[in-house]
Amino acid sequence: PQEDGWITRKTSVEYLADIDEVAEDSSSSLQHGALSEEDPDLREHIGDEDYDELYRQLYDENEENLQNGSDSVHSFSVREEGGPLEEEQQTSPTESAQRRSFYHLRWLIVVIICIVAASIQFSYDIPSALHHQMIDHMRQRPVHHGDHEHSEIYFNLLYTAYSLPNIFLPFFGGWLVDTYGASLALVGFSAWCFIGQLVAAFGVARRMWSIALFGRFLFGVGGETIAVAYSSLLPHWFDEAKFLSTATTRDNGRSATQLSVSLTAAAVIARFGGMLNNFISVRVANAFSATTAMWLGTWLLVPGCAGACAVYFMEMCVLSVRMDGNETVERQSSTNASRSNNGHEPDSELATPLLQADSTANASPSTTEIQHGNRIPSFSKGFWLVCISSALSCSCVTVWNNVAAGILLERDYLQPALPSCQIPHPDQCTLGTLQPDPSFNKPFNAANNDHSCPFVLPTSLNVTRLGQKGKQQSFAIQNLSRLDVDCSDRFWADGCTKDYCHTLKDASEKAGAVMSIPFVLLAVLPPFLDRVIAQIGRRVTISAICSAVLFLVHICLALTSISPIVLLVAQGLAAATYVTAIGPIASMVVPREGPGTAFGVMLSLQNFLYAIFPLVVGVIHELSRDRFIPNVEIFFSFCGFLGTLAGIMLYCDDLLNGGECNRPIG
């Protein structure tokens, strides 16, 4: 249906009327192709001339179909809530079966895309869940390589390498999808992610930061743009007219709702993929090694790649069947048209003005689009404030999550031993196969004269043992610290410091569970918060308050001993509310002549901070003598403070421009 109420069919052009009620007797007559003159509402709405013309066309077409033995009978039905009348065509059993198969195939593709999104998010978050395991594993390199001296910086560079290509890819990812097709792009990007994760896992296995960083760079090339691919692919599969020749307007309305559900499901399940990583990868690394956890992420991408290939071939098959069906329909239509011309001349006076009006209406937007396409859009002050606010506030959650495990271990779950905690023999192993007697070197608290200390590491060691393949391994370490202990090595985990490694294992699993809290809330709450914020408005105000909450959360993490569960619940609530409020604001402030470029700038700025901030965190950690608290948390609180200032400035700018962004929707 066009804006002027006309619709073009294969054999005629009918007039659609917007009426609230049609009598049952007139509806019955319409189904049989006969418009009765006792239909005053329809006649009054569309006029006598058009009423008679519509009657003549429907009557002639239905009479001809009945004479030719066709089951196709044109009818009219009324939409709910007094919507426009729409012409329907009774579908054959074959078409009904085709429709059911298409619906089943559509939801199968949604499931596949959810698997792809979850597996990529799982692999992306593996380093953050394995913070200390990966650093301990990669630190065990010969001293002359020098990499062990900057382990935290190298670890944070894993996320810098991922974000670097995405500073530029937002400008080209959409072009690649439009040029080569969303389904083919999905295959290419998923394969690219698999190759990148494969290279990164190999680098971790070889304990070579350079290879691991290169793999993460490759993974980043596909990891972000694949979201563009499946976000473009799903609307095609929920477009009834693209795949079904019998699609109706009501089908398209239902499909729009289902499309929203499918896109939300993909985003939510991707978040849950990252959450599951915090539980699974930690336990795999504790049971086996960090290398095994990385390989697990690699092989979890295989079903996603296979599913992407299946989506591509399914789309090609369905489109080929659709094209064959169109050729058959066109042949039948041309035959019917030639038969119709023998009895009645087509009403060119009715059809031609409508087609001309339609082409004229369509010409204006395209011309406008071409004119604006050659112009670089100008960005308002509000646009830049939204960019700055969103990039800084999201960094307080996303970049912080990269080192959240290390922060929670240091702050809450694996605090260093008190100075009063000692062991009787500081140059001997504490517990394990090399020290089987647990009472020989058991830690005690000299201040309280009890055994309240969970663990105490030896101050020095000089041990030689037979390693793998009968080779001797010597451990001669002076001034031993936690950085020298690798609990993925059996010497430490089972032989010398079993008590410490057991405590570390439990603490890392607790940290992994707690750091998942914000992302669970981010996955679950936005669909519900969206309705509330749409009704009350105040989106700019709410976003500024959320940035202030993030600032307070990081200040409390840095300077207080408040439970991390309470603080991360507050962080998750603030983050979920913020992304729900800032989304409509971003749509309002982008210029109309270049929305694609505007959103590309937003993503590029965000990824620029995601690339720079991990490196800053690594440097701060190293300058703070390998500690996160308080300096790293103060850095994140400063980001939250700047995000709050940007939110306040955005509020003032919106107030000066009429307060449009703060108004309720609808």
Side-chain angles (χ1 to χ4, degrees), residues 41 48 95 100 316 353 393 422 453 462 466 517 556 589 596 654 665:
D41 293 333
D48 293 339
E95 291 173 335
R100 287 193 299 269
M316 293 300 102
S393 299
Q422 302 173 5
C453 301
N462 190 355
L466 287 177
I517 292 175
C556 292
V589 298
D654 180 64
I665 297 178

Side-chain angles (χ1 to χ4, degrees), residues 240-255:
E240 303 279 353
K242 183 177 177 65
F243 296 100
L244 294 175
S245 58
T246 59
T248 65
T249 308
R250 184 175 298 176
D251 291 330
N252 291 332
R254 181 176 62 250
S255 297

Side-chain angles (χ1 to χ4, degrees), residues 43 74 415 479 518 532:
R43 177 180 288 277
H74 293 285
Q415 295 180 349
N479 300 321
V532 176

